[in-house]
Amino acid sequence: MPRILCVFLLFCTVAFARAQRIGVVLSGGGATALTHIGVLKALEENDIPVDYITGSSMGALVGALYASGISPAQMDSLFQTDRYQTMARGGVEPEYTYYFKQDPPDASMLTLGLNVDTALQMSLPTNLRSPVLIDYEQMQAFAGAAAAAHYDMDHLFIPFRCVASDITARKEVVFSKGNLALAVRASMSYPFYFKPIRINGHLMMDGGMYNNFPADVMYDAFLPDYIIGSNVAYNAPPPNEDDLMSQLKAIMTQPTNYVLPCDPGIIIEPRTQVSLFDFANAKQAIADGYASTMEHMDEILQAVHRRRSREDLARARREFLDRCPPVTFGDIRFDGVSARQALYCERLLNKHNEPISGEELKPRYFRLFADYNIGGLFPQATYVPARGNFNLDINVKRERALEVQFGGLVSSRPVNTGMLAARYLLFGRASSRIEGRAYLGKFYTSGQFRWRTDLSSRRPVYIEPCVTLNRWDYFSGFTSFFQEVRPSYIVHKEVWGGANAGMGMGNKGLLRVDAKYAQTRDNYYQNTSFTARDTADLTEFSLVTGGLVLERNSLNRKQQANSGELLQFQLRYIAGDENTTPGSQWTDRGRFTARRGWVVLKAHLDKYFLPKGIFKFGVLAEGVYSTQPFFQNYTATLLQTPVFQPTPETKTYFLEHYRAPQYLAGGLRSIVAVARNKFDLRMEGYVFQPYRTLEREGDNLTSQGTAISSRYFIGSGSLIYQSPLGPLWFNVSYIDGLRLPWVWSLNFGYAIFSQGARE
């Protein structure tokens, strides 16, 4: 008996001598779970210690940041930055968007990938947002802390656990060791939002699917004396026979027990109006979490008798962060690709194989991601103590070899156009694609074939042979959607073949040269008083052209942008032979031939200001100087002359009065962007000032007016909805010089055409 009593007394002594240990459990909940930051902030301000932390999904991210030595105040600032908002949207920061790799603007709205090796099996995307930025940022943010803890989560600044859902084995997985960034990424792979990841052959998805409030994990791993839970999640109601999403949720998830496994403890349930994907309201969510915690603070202070001062906490943080090695990479390796493909990737990222910091690597990393043969990248950093830096292993996901694209323009005006394209990707020591594209419509028809190859040279360079046919059919009148208009009064056709070559100039710049041989064939009438029995005039022009274009482009959209800028300078030489055959309206129908040659200089600026607010402001300026001679008649001259078309609507009209060999033009844009940039109310006004107008003489020859004697104006108002597929917009325009200057249209899609011979 005395021996048993001694053992009991010893147990009691140890139990009472042990300091009170506090565990914090953070639930999932998307943007709503940002309230956890406010909870942690309130605990710190009241000297409540946090000895252990567990989390699931978004709670895993907040918990991992805290466990890595990031304070709630730092998290508060981080989650309100533009960088974090870009991560939440699945985008790439504008300064790392690589213009050199972007496709030329086209009318595509939907892209589908096909697996060629499985009988053209079509695969639907598994995620709505690209995780590329958040994967890179998490790798860089957690690499140092994981190395300092020797990849044991018990030795982080705060011992930590997170859970993920193994959908291969259909079970919960608890991470206690290994790569911290990988564990957090697995835990927050919300279905259909972020792509799941594979760990040891098993596909991992959001931890909230099987355990959205890991209080049991906290109890089993750490056995704290008191648990503080922060919960913003709930179990979904039973599935409904008419609700597919509720059925999928019931199939994919398991109910979570939102209670503490034992007493004592408390669960805080922050009240907030921030919804699941409302990441733009991080500030409000954090404030709501703080307020809810302060409501329970008296109860917490009574239950938790141990305190940890903010000074002591800050000192411990500094000591842990001082042990974290700087994120520098000594060896970069690639998997998921062949040796030849890995060599291409290596030359883009670190051609000279020297140690490189995470910030230095970042622009190169996103240049690689921008390559059209790359479908995704996932980085993992592993510390090598002998070298004092990290290995970086990048899993490269290849883009599907075959893609099809659909798009076009549907309009209340008779300019409807459908677009279909197919692209086949080739990937080796160079990155290539073969592409065919067709536009079909009465107003515009086009066929294009091109083959682009990006070289793995020190400075990014591409070469692109191309063959294109374009046809524009300008009607004799413009009527409603259902009426057919015959005959046409101007039909402009061009066929050209040649090559483009480009060189990247930083992330936003491009230097492009081209050389082409082209033939244009224009059928037209000199006036509108013609019948279907009349034959049109015909001008054929066989030409060679070479051009040099220097541009910088950071516009956020390929049509109707509201932020960024486009600055472009162009020099072009054109030389060719004109052959004109007059139509039936001419008395003298003799064939006319002449040799033509001229130079064109063009400067274009499209710039937007105030990118962060609701109100945006933009300017457009354009200047052209051309030495173009007159062709045989007035209309033939117009068709070869540069034209000012500042809005999508003006690109669908033959603007006789906005063509001149030398002109200055420009205007202002005022935009109100609401509903997270989905709706734009856009007001625009432009002035076109030719140096000398082109004028028609009585015999349809061409002359020039008095210098700076005429000018023309364009006014435009649009309400635009940026749908997931493309823009839907209603427009009213005033186009000075048209027979009926006030025009309106309702449109869906893009008024964008294939590259012309002189572009």
Side-chain angles (χ1 to χ4, degrees), residues 151-156 158-161 175-178 180 183:
Y151 299 96
D152 184 343
M153 296 181 193
D154 283 340
H155 295 116
L156 291 166
I158 304 293
F160 173 70
R161 297 288 187 274
F175 291 97
S176 62
K177 296 183 184 297
L180 181 59

Side-chain angles (χ1 to χ4, degrees), residues 590-705:
R591 186 179 179 89
F592 175 84
T593 63
R595 179 74 175 172
R596 310 292 191 190
W598 68 93
V599 173
V600 181
L601 294 170
K602 181 178 180 180
H604 179 94
L605 172 65
D606 187 357
K607 184 174 179 63
Y608 295 88
F609 304 91
L610 308 176
K612 295 183 180 180
I614 294 176
F615 299 98
K616 303 174 187 293
F617 174 72
V619 297
L620 183 143
E622 187 172 288
V624 169
Y625 177 82
S626 172
T627 61
Q628 175 193 324
F630 297 154
F631 277 57
Q632 190 269 343
N633 60 67
Y634 174 74
T635 304
T637 303
L638 282 182
L639 284 163
Q640 302 295 331
T641 302
V643 59
F644 178 61
Q645 296 171 304
T647 67
E649 294 76 23
T650 56
K651 297 180 188 299
T652 62
Y653 287 90
F654 184 78
L655 300 180
E656 176 179 347
H657 298 291
Y658 296 84
R659 296 172 179 263
Q662 301 94 29
Y663 67 79
L664 292 175
L668 302 177
R669 295 157 169 170
S670 178
I671 303 165
V672 180
V674 295
R676 300 182 193 174
N677 224 18
K678 293 296 183 182
F679 285 92
D680 282 1
L681 177 60
R682 189 180 183 99
M683 304 299 293
E684 305 170 73
Y686 304 95
V687 59
F688 175 77
Q689 178 62 71
Y691 176 61
R692 294 178 183 272
T693 57
L694 294 177
E695 298 183 354
R696 187 196 301 268
E697 297 291 335
D699 50 2
N700 288 318
L701 298 179
T702 310
S703 65
Q704 286 187 310

Side-chain angles (χ1 to χ4, degrees), residues 213-464:
F213 186 66
D216 57 334
V217 175
M218 169 64 73
Y219 191 76
D220 293 341
F222 302 118
L223 197 62
D225 301 296
Y226 190 83
I227 295 177
I228 300 172
S230 178
N231 176 43
V232 290
Y234 60 91
N235 287 319
N240 186 297
E241 65 272 16
D242 297 320
D243 187 345
L244 177 60
M245 291 306 296
S246 72
Q247 297 168 27
L248 289 173
K249 187 173 290 188
I251 293 171
M252 297 175 64
T253 63
Q254 296 178 1
T256 294
N257 192 7
Y258 293 102
V259 296
L260 298 179
C262 66
D263 289 330
I266 186 173
I267 296 180
I268 301 166
E269 295 182 317
R271 298 181 302 276
T272 182
Q273 296 299 313
V274 176
S275 59
L276 185 66
F277 298 116
D278 191 11
F279 291 99
N281 269 332
K283 184 176 182 179
Q284 184 61 51
I286 295 168
D288 292 338
Y290 180 87
S292 295
T293 307
M294 293 304 295
E295 291 176 5
H296 295 275
M297 189 52 65
D298 287 343
E299 180 182 351
I300 296 172
L301 289 170
Q302 290 178 14
V304 179
H305 57 74
R306 176 170 156 251
R307 300 288 181 265
R308 188 177 192 183
S309 69
R310 279 172 276 180
E311 293 76 13
D312 178 60
L313 186 62
R315 177 189 53 78
R317 270 203 184 97
R318 287 195 301 270
E319 290 176 355
F320 177 80
L321 294 173
D322 288 343
R323 298 202 310 269
C324 297
V327 182
T328 302
F329 304 109
D331 191 11
I332 302 177
R333 303 173 298 198
F334 302 90
D335 62 335
V337 290
S338 69
R340 289 166 59 86
Q341 295 163 352
L343 182 61
Y344 175 82
C345 297
E346 180 183 332
R347 287 180 173 177
L348 288 185
L349 258 64
N350 196 10
K351 186 173 182 179
H352 301 292
N353 199 30
E354 70 245 344
I356 184 171
S357 71
E359 287 302 321
E360 290 173 327
L361 178 68
K362 189 173 180 179
R364 307 182 198 182
Y365 183 89
F366 285 101
R367 287 183 187 183
L368 175 61
F369 174 72
D371 192 278
Y372 38 82
N373 267 294
I374 304 298
L377 300 172
F378 186 80
Q380 294 187 61
T382 306
Y383 189 62
V384 182
R387 287 204 321 257
N389 56 30
F390 290 81
N391 284 338
L392 181 63
D393 293 284
I394 302 176
N395 180 267
V396 181
K397 179 73 173 179
R398 282 203 57 189
E399 193 60 83
R400 294 180 180 90
L402 181 61
E403 293 180 345
V404 292
Q405 295 179 320
F406 305 91
L409 177 66
V410 179
S411 177
S412 60
R413 293 181 50 243
V415 292
N416 299 279
T417 307
M419 193 216 79
L420 173 65
R423 173 187 296 175
Y424 186 73
L425 302 178
L426 302 168
F427 192 19
R429 295 188 65 173
S431 179
S432 301
R433 65 185 179 195
I434 303 171
E435 185 175 296
R437 186 175 304 274
Y439 291 82
L440 301 171
K442 175 176 172 54
F443 167 68
Y444 177 67
T445 302
S446 176
Q448 185 178 74
F449 175 84
R450 57 184 180 175
W451 183 329
R452 171 167 167 161
T453 298
D454 286 60
L455 307 178
S456 58
S457 52
R458 182 172 183 179
R459 182 176 288 276
V461 172
Y462 78 84
I463 301 172
E464 184 183 53

Side-chain angles (χ1 to χ4, degrees), residues 720-732:
I720 307 166
Y721 168 60
Q722 297 292 340
S723 79
L725 291 179
L728 172 66
W729 82 96
F730 175 76
N731 173 264
V732 176

